[in-house]
PDB file of all heavy atoms in Angstrom:
ATOM      1  N   ALA T 321      -1.103  11.839  15.021  1.00  0.00           N
ATOM      2  CA  ALA T 321      -1.808  10.566  15.204  1.00  0.00           C
ATOM      3  C   ALA T 321      -1.980   9.874  13.769  1.00  0.00           C
ATOM      4  O   ALA T 321      -1.744   8.717  13.598  1.00  0.00           O
ATOM      5  CB  ALA T 321      -3.179  10.723  15.794  1.00  0.00           C
ATOM      6  N   ILE T 322      -2.252  10.630  12.750  1.00  0.00           N
ATOM      7  CA  ILE T 322      -2.372  10.092  11.403  1.00  0.00           C
ATOM      8  C   ILE T 322      -1.061   9.516  10.908  1.00  0.00           C
ATOM      9  O   ILE T 322      -0.976   8.387  10.479  1.00  0.00           O
ATOM     10  CB  ILE T 322      -2.860  11.163  10.398  1.00  0.00           C
ATOM     11  CG1 ILE T 322      -4.248  11.635  10.705  1.00  0.00           C
ATOM     12  CG2 ILE T 322      -2.772  10.707   8.999  1.00  0.00           C
ATOM     13  CD1 ILE T 322      -4.698  12.871  10.000  1.00  0.00           C
ATOM     14  N   LEU T 323       0.030  10.252  11.099  1.00  0.00           N
ATOM     15  CA  LEU T 323       1.339   9.814  10.725  1.00  0.00           C
ATOM     16  C   LEU T 323       1.795   8.563  11.477  1.00  0.00           C
ATOM     17  O   LEU T 323       2.358   7.654  10.869  1.00  0.00           O
ATOM     18  CB  LEU T 323       2.391  10.963  10.875  1.00  0.00           C
ATOM     19  CG  LEU T 323       2.174  12.140   9.947  1.00  0.00           C
ATOM     20  CD1 LEU T 323       3.078  13.328  10.375  1.00  0.00           C
ATOM     21  CD2 LEU T 323       2.413  11.744   8.491  1.00  0.00           C
ATOM     22  N   GLU T 324       1.521   8.565  12.772  1.00  0.00           N
ATOM     23  CA  GLU T 324       1.878   7.389  13.582  1.00  0.00           C
ATOM     24  C   GLU T 324       1.132   6.137  13.159  1.00  0.00           C
ATOM     25  O   GLU T 324       1.721   5.109  12.925  1.00  0.00           O
ATOM     26  CB  GLU T 324       1.621   7.715  15.095  1.00  0.00           C
ATOM     27  CG  GLU T 324       2.561   8.599  15.731  1.00  0.00           C
ATOM     28  CD  GLU T 324       2.273   9.013  17.156  1.00  0.00           C
ATOM     29  OE1 GLU T 324       1.295   8.418  17.686  1.00  0.00           O
ATOM     30  OE2 GLU T 324       3.013   9.770  17.746  1.00  0.00           O
ATOM     31  N   ARG T 325      -0.174   6.338  12.882  1.00  0.00           N
ATOM     32  CA  ARG T 325      -1.010   5.183  12.508  1.00  0.00           C
ATOM     33  C   ARG T 325      -0.603   4.696  11.126  1.00  0.00           C
ATOM     34  O   ARG T 325      -0.600   3.508  10.908  1.00  0.00           O
ATOM     35  CB  ARG T 325      -2.459   5.523  12.546  1.00  0.00           C
ATOM     36  CG  ARG T 325      -3.429   4.512  12.060  1.00  0.00           C
ATOM     37  CD  ARG T 325      -4.310   3.742  12.906  1.00  0.00           C
ATOM     38  NE  ARG T 325      -4.627   4.141  14.231  1.00  0.00           N
ATOM     39  CZ  ARG T 325      -5.802   4.055  14.718  1.00  0.00           C
ATOM     40  NH1 ARG T 325      -6.846   3.770  13.945  1.00  0.00           N
ATOM     41  NH2 ARG T 325      -6.112   4.372  15.974  1.00  0.00           N
ATOM     42  N   ALA T 326      -0.236   5.609  10.271  1.00  0.00           N
ATOM     43  CA  ALA T 326       0.120   5.236   8.851  1.00  0.00           C
ATOM     44  C   ALA T 326       1.572   4.742   8.819  1.00  0.00           C
ATOM     45  O   ALA T 326       1.993   4.197   7.738  1.00  0.00           O
ATOM     46  CB  ALA T 326      -0.019   6.451   7.959  1.00  0.00           C
ATOM     47  N   GLY T 327       2.321   4.904   9.835  1.00  0.00           N
ATOM     48  CA  GLY T 327       3.777   4.593   9.777  1.00  0.00           C
ATOM     49  C   GLY T 327       4.462   5.411   8.728  1.00  0.00           C
ATOM     50  O   GLY T 327       5.363   4.933   8.029  1.00  0.00           O
ATOM     51  N   ALA T 328       4.104   6.710   8.659  1.00  0.00           N
ATOM     52  CA  ALA T 328       4.698   7.571   7.704  1.00  0.00           C
ATOM     53  C   ALA T 328       5.595   8.659   8.316  1.00  0.00           C
ATOM     54  O   ALA T 328       5.304   9.047   9.480  1.00  0.00           O
ATOM     55  CB  ALA T 328       3.519   8.282   6.858  1.00  0.00           C
ATOM     56  N   GLY T 329       6.462   9.211   7.580  1.00  0.00           N
ATOM     57  CA  GLY T 329       7.392  10.261   8.023  1.00  0.00           C
ATOM     58  C   GLY T 329       6.637  11.607   8.084  1.00  0.00           C
ATOM     59  O   GLY T 329       5.579  11.776   7.460  1.00  0.00           O
ATOM     60  N   GLN T 330       7.219  12.568   8.845  1.00  0.00           N
ATOM     61  CA  GLN T 330       6.565  13.860   9.048  1.00  0.00           C
ATOM     62  C   GLN T 330       6.218  14.585   7.794  1.00  0.00           C
ATOM     63  O   GLN T 330       5.138  15.191   7.794  1.00  0.00           O
ATOM     64  CB  GLN T 330       7.468  14.704   9.960  1.00  0.00           C
ATOM     65  CG  GLN T 330       6.933  14.782  11.345  1.00  0.00           C
ATOM     66  CD  GLN T 330       7.677  15.712  12.161  1.00  0.00           C
ATOM     67  OE1 GLN T 330       8.798  16.076  11.945  1.00  0.00           O
ATOM     68  NE2 GLN T 330       7.083  16.202  13.267  1.00  0.00           N
ATOM     69  N   GLY T 331       7.039  14.654   6.859  1.00  0.00           N
ATOM     70  CA  GLY T 331       6.691  15.416   5.653  1.00  0.00           C
ATOM     71  C   GLY T 331       5.785  14.789   4.635  1.00  0.00           C
ATOM     72  O   GLY T 331       5.302  15.371   3.763  1.00  0.00           O
ATOM     73  N   SER T 332       5.475  13.458   4.918  1.00  0.00           N
ATOM     74  CA  SER T 332       4.722  12.685   3.818  1.00  0.00           C
ATOM     75  C   SER T 332       3.298  13.217   3.713  1.00  0.00           C
ATOM     76  O   SER T 332       2.751  13.216   2.620  1.00  0.00           O
ATOM     77  CB  SER T 332       4.728  11.235   4.146  1.00  0.00           C
ATOM     78  OG  SER T 332       4.248  10.969   5.421  1.00  0.00           O
ATOM     79  N   MET T 333       2.667  13.670   4.770  1.00  0.00           N
ATOM     80  CA  MET T 333       1.259  14.151   4.648  1.00  0.00           C
ATOM     81  C   MET T 333       1.248  15.333   3.771  1.00  0.00           C
ATOM     82  O   MET T 333       0.383  15.450   2.896  1.00  0.00           O
ATOM     83  CB  MET T 333       0.605  14.462   6.038  1.00  0.00           C
ATOM     84  CG  MET T 333      -0.788  14.944   5.886  1.00  0.00           C
ATOM     85  SD  MET T 333      -1.687  14.959   7.458  1.00  0.00           S
ATOM     86  CE  MET T 333      -1.159  16.437   8.216  1.00  0.00           C
ATOM     87  N   TYR T 334       2.206  16.238   3.936  1.00  0.00           N
ATOM     88  CA  TYR T 334       2.187  17.516   3.147  1.00  0.00           C
ATOM     89  C   TYR T 334       2.763  17.279   1.792  1.00  0.00           C
ATOM     90  O   TYR T 334       2.535  18.101   0.886  1.00  0.00           O
ATOM     91  CB  TYR T 334       2.924  18.572   3.949  1.00  0.00           C
ATOM     92  CG  TYR T 334       2.195  18.849   5.231  1.00  0.00           C
ATOM     93  CD1 TYR T 334       2.628  18.333   6.417  1.00  0.00           C
ATOM     94  CD2 TYR T 334       1.034  19.648   5.223  1.00  0.00           C
ATOM     95  CE1 TYR T 334       1.948  18.584   7.607  1.00  0.00           C
ATOM     96  CE2 TYR T 334       0.359  19.881   6.362  1.00  0.00           C
ATOM     97  CZ  TYR T 334       0.770  19.354   7.553  1.00  0.00           C
ATOM     98  OH  TYR T 334       0.078  19.597   8.723  1.00  0.00           O
ATOM     99  N   HIS T 335       3.452  16.147   1.584  1.00  0.00           N
ATOM    100  CA  HIS T 335       3.887  15.747   0.275  1.00  0.00           C
ATOM    101  C   HIS T 335       2.677  15.321  -0.627  1.00  0.00           C
ATOM    102  O   HIS T 335       2.600  15.648  -1.788  1.00  0.00           O
ATOM    103  CB  HIS T 335       4.963  14.659   0.283  1.00  0.00           C
ATOM    104  CG  HIS T 335       5.332  14.188  -1.007  1.00  0.00           C
ATOM    105  ND1 HIS T 335       6.151  14.860  -1.918  1.00  0.00           N
ATOM    106  CD2 HIS T 335       5.030  13.028  -1.699  1.00  0.00           C
ATOM    107  CE1 HIS T 335       6.363  14.166  -2.969  1.00  0.00           C
ATOM    108  NE2 HIS T 335       5.702  12.990  -2.837  1.00  0.00           N
ATOM    109  N   HIS T 336       1.778  14.627   0.034  1.00  0.00           N
ATOM    110  CA  HIS T 336       0.594  14.009  -0.749  1.00  0.00           C
ATOM    111  C   HIS T 336      -0.627  14.876  -0.599  1.00  0.00           C
ATOM    112  O   HIS T 336      -1.535  14.799  -1.555  1.00  0.00           O
ATOM    113  CB  HIS T 336       0.354  12.645  -0.206  1.00  0.00           C
ATOM    114  CG  HIS T 336       1.447  11.619  -0.540  1.00  0.00           C
ATOM    115  ND1 HIS T 336       1.719  11.132  -1.788  1.00  0.00           N
ATOM    116  CD2 HIS T 336       2.379  11.110   0.321  1.00  0.00           C
ATOM    117  CE1 HIS T 336       2.774  10.330  -1.691  1.00  0.00           C
ATOM    118  NE2 HIS T 336       3.188  10.297  -0.453  1.00  0.00           N
ATOM    119  N   PHE T 337      -0.796  15.672   0.398  1.00  0.00           N
ATOM    120  CA  PHE T 337      -2.033  16.435   0.695  1.00  0.00           C
ATOM    121  C   PHE T 337      -1.680  17.859   1.117  1.00  0.00           C
ATOM    122  O   PHE T 337      -0.588  18.049   1.660  1.00  0.00           O
ATOM    123  CB  PHE T 337      -2.865  15.768   1.750  1.00  0.00           C
ATOM    124  CG  PHE T 337      -3.247  14.320   1.382  1.00  0.00           C
ATOM    125  CD1 PHE T 337      -2.441  13.285   1.772  1.00  0.00           C
ATOM    126  CD2 PHE T 337      -4.355  14.093   0.598  1.00  0.00           C
ATOM    127  CE1 PHE T 337      -2.789  11.945   1.480  1.00  0.00           C
ATOM    128  CE2 PHE T 337      -4.725  12.807   0.168  1.00  0.00           C
ATOM    129  CZ  PHE T 337      -3.871  11.768   0.592  1.00  0.00           C
ATOM    130  N   LYS T 338      -2.581  18.791   0.884  1.00  0.00           N
ATOM    131  CA  LYS T 338      -2.298  20.181   1.277  1.00  0.00           C
ATOM    132  C   LYS T 338      -2.296  20.384   2.781  1.00  0.00           C
ATOM    133  O   LYS T 338      -1.731  21.352   3.267  1.00  0.00           O
ATOM    134  CB  LYS T 338      -3.425  21.097   0.676  1.00  0.00           C
ATOM    135  CG  LYS T 338      -3.370  21.121  -0.866  1.00  0.00           C
ATOM    136  CD  LYS T 338      -4.546  21.961  -1.344  1.00  0.00           C
ATOM    137  CE  LYS T 338      -4.704  21.805  -2.880  1.00  0.00           C
ATOM    138  NZ  LYS T 338      -5.933  22.314  -3.351  1.00  0.00           N
ATOM    139  N   GLY T 339      -2.906  19.439   3.474  1.00  0.00           N
ATOM    140  CA  GLY T 339      -2.944  19.495   4.945  1.00  0.00           C
ATOM    141  C   GLY T 339      -4.042  18.571   5.460  1.00  0.00           C
ATOM    142  O   GLY T 339      -4.663  17.803   4.734  1.00  0.00           O
TER     143      GLY T 339
END
Side-chain angles (χ1 to χ4, degrees):
I322 293 167
L323 293 170
E324 285 175 4
R325 174 106 22 132
Q330 254 187 338
S332 59
M333 181 163 80
Y334 297 100
H335 174 74
H336 295 285
F337 301 95
K338 294 175 189 166

